[in-house]
Amino acid sequence: MKVLWLCNIMLPAVAEYLNMEASNKEGWISGLLSVVMDRQEENGIELAVAFPAAEELRLQVPVGKGTLACYGFVGRYPSAPHRYDPSLEGQLRSITEDFHPDLVHCFGTEYPHTLAMCRVFPHKDRLLLGIQGVCSDIAKAYFASMPQSAIHRVTLRDFLRRDSLLAQQKKFEKRGEMEIEAIKLAGNVTGRTDWDLHYTRKWNPKAVYYPMNETLRSNFYSGSWEESECEPHSIFLSQGDYPLKGLHYMLLALPKIREKYPDVKVYVAGNNLTRAGSLKQRLKLSAYGKYLRKLIKNYQLESCVCFLGRLDAEAMKKQYLNSSLFVCCSSIENSPNSLGEAMLLGMPCVSADVGGIPSIFTDKEDGILYPGYGITKKEFNNACNSNITAGTELEKIVNNLVEAIFEMWSDPAKIRDYCKNARNHAKKSHDREANYQKMMEIYASVISGAAGENKAPEELTQPLLLFVSNYINHHQIPFCNALYEQLGGRYLFIQTEPMEEERKRMGWQDGEKLPYVRYYYEEPEQCKAWIDAAAVVLFGGTDEESYIKPRLEAGKPVIRYHERLYKQGQWKAISPRGLIQKYKDHTKYRKQNVYMLCAGAYVPSDFHIVRAYPGRMLRWGYFPETRHYDVDRLMNGKKPAHILWAARFIDWKHPELPLKAARYLKDNGCNFHLDMVGGGELEGNVKKMLEEYGLSDCVSLLGYRTPAEVRTLMEGAEIFLLTSDRQEGWGAVVNEAMNSGCAVVADHMAGAVPFLIRHGENGFIYRDGDEKELFHILQKLLMDRDLCRRTGEAAYRTITEEWNSETAALRLLGLCVREGFLREEYVLAASDRVSFEAQQNPVSGPGSPAPVIPERKMYDALRRERR
């Protein structure tokens, strides 16, 4: 196998051979080079590398146990990376004709030589591009909320070099144009994050996307951060050379940080843009340098900001280990290696939640993510000129940064957990052997596919699984994320209608920034094609059958996802018109490749009435975010005798029941406090009852809260109360409350309750309409805190060990493999065959057979189960 690497620098091994100064950039490529060369006998790769040079070069360089073919080409990079040089095409064509590569691997999509290679190399299906950043997005986020006065400033240095901030941004725009064309030309792309996958799919849906993590510089794989060895309250930034890196955010945050931590100090690696000790240095100041210098002077930060200059790998490592916190405050990043290095050393990390960072760094597990610079769809084309970015957003981001640092430094025990988790995460993501093996697999796949040998079916380049629903929401996103990951990005969610404004006001997250979401109402023909071509379609959440009718008529695999049919009562099944419609939609296909995922324990009974899906109904539900806690700390942090209720104030949610229960508990001498979250049409009635019952001292009405705020309230509550009746198809708050360690007390007719709660073990169930039973259960829990705690701990285990999005995704894919809808090699989890095979025939939890229990017998069945 002959492989040509196209790089943006002369690799150090080549520079040293030529007695030239070696670059410190892209150290991970050098690490990869040494592995490939040392294992040539094993991998069979004949490797060549092409790179920019002062003059054209062709030579053989000894590297490791082999010889590396080296080609230097002449171009405007790195002096003018935004300018396309047509002469590159002839040079690169000559290189490929000389070496005759089976595969060309381009490291970085944003360079003129990458586009030139994509234009001249005739075999597009053997072009593999590695995404490093996304320049079009970088251009939009380049100014990072700076004020307009700073953005438009031009210093003498900027004028002479034609390198003002606006000019710098324009350069990224031009690089972005080249990058988009290159990706459109290539047949294969590697990336690491949801962010870069989103743009790959957008610009070239036909390209095969291969997830591949990066290997870091070798010296970061040894050594670890120790709190006792670092300088207290010292912050390290890996660079601040241009606005995108967000150094100004940190300088603006420092005054507030210094109020609480007077000894705080910030160390910045890279060029010192603020140096002005001599006339020459002052004349060389850039606009960004002057802006930084002004902030330092105005806030008197001279004593607490230290610029370190350029550091080699070993010096960088030393600074990581000497600092008490690493901060990435960039306005946009894909997967910054500096953050990976800090994680690999196991140091505390705080990062802006931007770009691809959430794909490599998990909030509240590896460290803290704070809301950073954001670009919405409406702002996408004019973000840099938006008034929001110039004013209020700057202040908001700075405050978010301050709060994140305060949160990190306020809890030493949490820091230890974060450091351990980050190190373990990074060891997995940046595992040198795993990444090397992954690259070998990708090379083999690209070459075999291009040659027509063992070529994967067409469905491999199409989305393998589609989820068609009315709209995506925060209850579905974790499950969708898990499917997206397990299928290596070959997953789409097709949204059929816009989300209601009321849901958005309640804090429901939409799919605007999710790479796998497409909108049927924006591109109907393309969505129809995807629905028809997908191996499997998951369908639910919308009553419009036209989306799925052609697949059903063609006998193609469909997995339906449904709440109950008869929320108003099963007596409605007597309607002849209704039965005819149910036959057309469901019963007609009872013997085809159609399964029913029952989002609620009463769904099987409803569909049994219409004789649909016999033996093909499975337990299912909704799978909101699963959080992992230190259980003892979670339970110890709960407020004694604290009850939480959260829902809309509408009739079938029964907001009157918590107040009736509170009056009973108060009359019987119980000490407690009840928080009610929500609002709606019955809010006036609730306030009137609160006053009439005299409960203002023990009941608080908190109004609407965001989903994140509700989760925080759950974490502090001992008891969660769900009073919804049969119209509650599922009730995702039950999942969330159990995950938060609450002892849940719930109406037995809510759909989630029989599937999730084992009465008296991980929660409590009262008969629908039996107020006295509800009151007595609450009284019992308030009188026995140990019972409350045991129940909450069991509830937490139920969610984290079984009823979660990761388990659900694996079991759904297990069903698809078992039934022959998907080939096992398409599922990433199939690499762990024992674990994956266990998910194909579960006996409990999501994906297990759903029993048909008549609703009139459900309560007795649940109680018998616990005897």
Side-chain angles (χ1 to χ4, degrees), residues 467 469-471 473-479 508 540-542 561-564 567 597-600 603 619-626 728-736 751-752 755-756 799 803-805 808 846:
F467 189 169
S469 190
N470 55 351
Y471 49 69
N473 61 64
H474 63 287
H475 294 152
Q476 298 165 321
I477 288 173
F479 172 61
W508 284 37
T542 176
Y561 191 163
H562 220 290
E563 293 186 6
R564 66 177 311 175
K567 289 185 177 181
L597 302 182
C598 301
V603 177
R619 287 187 179 95
W620 208 251
Y622 294 97
F623 304 94
E625 176 193 7
T626 299
E728 186 71 80
W730 179 256
V733 288
V734 178
N735 304 62
E736 294 171 327
F755 279 175
L756 293 182
I799 301 301
W803 278 94
N804 56 70
S805 58

Side-chain angles (χ1 to χ4, degrees), residues 1 115 222 312 359 378 446 470 511 521 551 603 692 703 716 793:
M1 182 193 307
L115 176 56
S222 62
D312 61 20
S359 296
K378 292 180 180 179
V446 171
N470 55 351
Y521 44 89
R551 280 190 71 94
V603 177
E692 288 179 354
E793 290 175 347

